Amino acid sequence: MSDTPPAAAWSGRFEEPVDERVKRYTASVDFDRRLALYDIRGSLAHARMLSEVGVISALDLEQIEQGMAQIRSEIERGEFEWSLDAEDVHLNIERRLTALVGDAGKRLHTARSRNDQVATDVRLFLRDEIDAIIGLMDAMQRSIVDQAAQHADTLMPGFTHLQVAQPVTFGHHMLAYFEMFERDRSRLVDCRRRLDVLPLGSAALAGTSYPIRRERVAELLGFAGVSENSLDAVSDRDFAIEFCAVASIAMMHISRLSEELVLWMSPAFGFIRLPDRFCTGSSIMPQKKNPDVPELARGKTGRMYGDLMSLLTLMKGQPLAYNKDNQEDKEPLFDAVDTLTDTLAIFASMLAGLTVNAPRMLQALRQGHATATDLADWLVKRGMPFRDAHEAVARAVRAADQHGCELAALPAEVLREFAGDAYAEIQAVLQAAGSAASRDLRGGTAPAQVRAQVARADSIIAARLAGVSRLIRPSAPLR
Ligand code: ARG
């Protein structure tokens, strides 16, 4: 390239060069070059269509294709010279194309504007990223279901208000997260379906007078349809907002799980261990093993909400149609994509490696009269009104506290005061395993139900494997 930078693509009517600070302020190439391979894909489809309808010649197309092939390989080899003078990814590539193939390069932008071009690039980018994210979500769900299968019978305290409430199984607890991520996954699929629409052909804002074939470009780029209003298409960023909203909800779920992992891993609980490769030590306290990954995921959730807020706020004051504000959509969107992608990938393998300390869970379960409800239920089934039963069991709990023991460990003579000769039966009712097993209804914590839910989840995941490989594009471009 020459030493004096070429004038900007739009500089024809300007009387002085742009202030250096303004150039830096308005340029986006430092971050939007991430879209480069999508930009090339979009341009190739546009050029092919232009030649098919006779707006450019077959020779122009051939030269554009050759030039783009070279540019693509320069980018992939890291040899492309990105320049701030060319402002953004689109003008950088167009300028290089023109340097390589001359007039054919200058004809590429016929019947197109950077406004519909960038909207197309971002949709192509996000569609691929969502496909990859769905794959990672599946992998994480797989790890969760495997843990549930392994721990369908493992008893732990279920909590409300973080107080021991009732016995549950660890498998049941894990499957609660399977359900949350199942909803997140379906939101991702939904978001992908809505964004799968081609904006190209909207041009700057009003459409174009050239006889272009938008459906053909959509077909070449694999879009399910074309946008129906040019003003909307160049200015709409709903799909990016929607992705950040979906990603925020998913991160909120990951953050809740993280909070539990942090608690469970603390010596006070001692319920689980995370593999050492997912933990870090302290530089001052040699005994420490810190759950940095879940803590960071919890922290990054706040950052993800920030991305969502940035985009919502970015859009709220914009009149139709395109405004330069929209250039600010990329960094929050990229950040949201990267944060979710990295988090899911790490969690998929971290959760697979999680190990459970079942004796500690059982011990914790024995410290909160966790089967008090079972005793009340037993009394009700023998004809006592529930409120009276509640009262009677509360007295039994007080008695246990006075004896300094668990309800389940009350001596026979004390139990006899509450239940007469039925006390032996009560002792069985007060066992945690019996309590969990008795909640044998759909959605309940009984091991039999957990196993049924694991089987259901297995078949959902298995049915999906075929579907997912269909979703993921073979030509997913590089970052
Ligand atoms: N870099 C711009 C963006 O990201 C591309 C579109 C520019 N359009 C314009 N009319 N200045 O939004």
Side-chain angles (χ1 to χ4, degrees), residues 20 24 76-77 92 101 118 155 172 187 287-288 336 372 455:
E20 270 307 315
R24 273 200 304 279
E76 285 172 346
R77 290 199 312 264
N92 265 272
V101 305
V118 68
L155 293 166
H172 192 53
R187 277 184 277 266
Q287 85 282 15
K288 294 293 282 295

Side-chain angles (χ1 to χ4, degrees), residues 332-454:
L333 179 63
F334 293 166
D335 185 68
V337 162
D338 292 342
T339 302
L340 186 58
T341 300
D342 294 347
T343 306
L344 289 174
I346 293 186
F347 270 65
S349 36
M350 187 177 73
L351 293 175
L354 174 155
T355 50
V356 167
N357 186 338
R360 278 303 290 268
M361 286 181 170
L362 204 57
Q363 198 186 341
L365 190 48
R366 296 208 175 102
Q367 282 164 12
H369 312 296
T371 50
T373 317
D374 297 276
L375 180 54
D377 289 340
W378 183 84
L379 292 169
V380 168
K381 283 170 194 157
R382 310 197 114 217
M384 192 183 277
F386 182 77
R387 282 293 156 222
D388 294 342
H390 187 280
E391 184 56 33
V393 175
R395 273 187 279 114
V397 165
R398 247 194 337 261
D401 282 342
Q402 276 157 12
H403 275 79
C405 72
E406 273 294 283
L407 199 52
L410 268 179
E413 64 274 17
V414 183
L415 275 182
R416 209 189 286 273
E417 286 170 32
F418 292 93
D421 285 341
Y423 75 91
E425 217 177 302
I426 286 185
Q427 267 174 330
V429 166
L430 289 173
Q431 298 314 305
S435 164
S438 73
R439 285 162 167 73
D440 190 9
L441 82 171
R442 185 165 173 185
T445 201
Q449 290 296 330
V450 173
R451 273 188 275 274
Q453 291 291 347
V454 165

Side-chain angles (χ1 to χ4, degrees), residues 28 32 88 90 114-115 118 322 327 330:
S28 53
D32 67 14
D88 59 19
H90 323 290
R114 273 186 295 156
N115 299 349
V118 68
Y322 176 87
Q327 183 165 287
K330 285 163 206 67

Side-chain angles (χ1 to χ4, degrees), residues 144 170-183:
I144 288 172
F170 185 67
H172 192 53
H173 199 113
M174 281 291 102
L175 287 177
Y177 286 99
F178 174 81
E179 292 300 320
M180 292 176 228
F181 296 127
E182 196 56 11
R183 293 192 293 275

